[in-house]
Amino acid sequence: MTKKDKMKNTFLDILYPRRCPVCHDIPVPGTQKICSGCRERLRPVTGPRCFKCSKPLKDPEQEYCSDCSRRTHLFDQGIGIFPYNTLLQESLFKLKYGKRQEYGVFYGELAAAYAEAQIRCWEIDYLVPIPLHRKRLEKRGYNQAELIAEALGKRVNLPVKKKLMKRKINTKPQKDLNPEERLKNIRGAFTAAERLNGGNILLIDDIYTTGATLNQAAATLKKAGAQRVYFLVIAIGSET
């Protein structure tokens, strides 16, 4: 970054100070993207995880969470960076519905810091954000998964294919549905824009609960010819 760019950013920080993406207070301008208190509280998932979806597990001898033990998921594997708790709930809500687009950049950069080694291990060819339906995109003005994917892709030097997959059905919000309703709601919602010739794809989304959306997206991409489909989410729920 040039001296001119640094001066410009400092000036913008004074006029439009960035808010901490977790507690939404204003950090010290120009020095950090998250306040010191939230930096201590925002901790990634540690300890035993489900081998398939990476949900935190209580039993270190357990290989799969109860959901992955009961259901067949078509994605190959995935990783959630942070546990989905009250700390992140409001932050991700503001990212999606509160016009805080800079939060997506923040979480995408954090995801790169915590998951780059795993992404390299998977030998990912490109990133694909979970798409929004056209009507919802027009209403919101942006897709939070795209913001995360672009920031992540820039940090790990991988391309992002935003138009590879489309959401052809304007589904109901998954958060309002139970697991069975989620599966039915998302079925057939996606379509691939082109035929794929193999390749390892990393799907990007903000939250993983039952995995219904990511599973349907993985099914769509594999049907189009993808070799392997993995996922990365910012927050992942705990085992029920």
Side-chain angles (χ1 to χ4, degrees), residues 77 115-125 158 200 228 230:
Q77 209 172 18
E116 182 172 6
Q118 182 63 73
I119 293 171
R120 301 298 180 203
C121 181
W122 285 333
E123 299 182 335
I124 298 299
D125 294 299
L158 285 172
N200 296 336
R228 293 184 180 276
Y230 302 90

Side-chain angles (χ1 to χ4, degrees), residues 18-27 32-39 41-42 86-88 90-92 94 103 106-107:
R18 295 172 298 187
R19 293 189 176 272
C20 170
V22 179
C23 70
H24 320 295
D25 284 339
I26 300 174
Q32 54 190 25
K33 292 185 177 181
I34 182 173
C35 71
S36 56
C38 288
R39 185 186 293 112
R41 295 194 297 158
L42 190 62
T86 53
L87 185 67
L88 279 179
E90 185 178 354
S91 176
L92 294 178
K94 286 186 178 294
Y103 291 10
F106 171 78
Y107 285 119

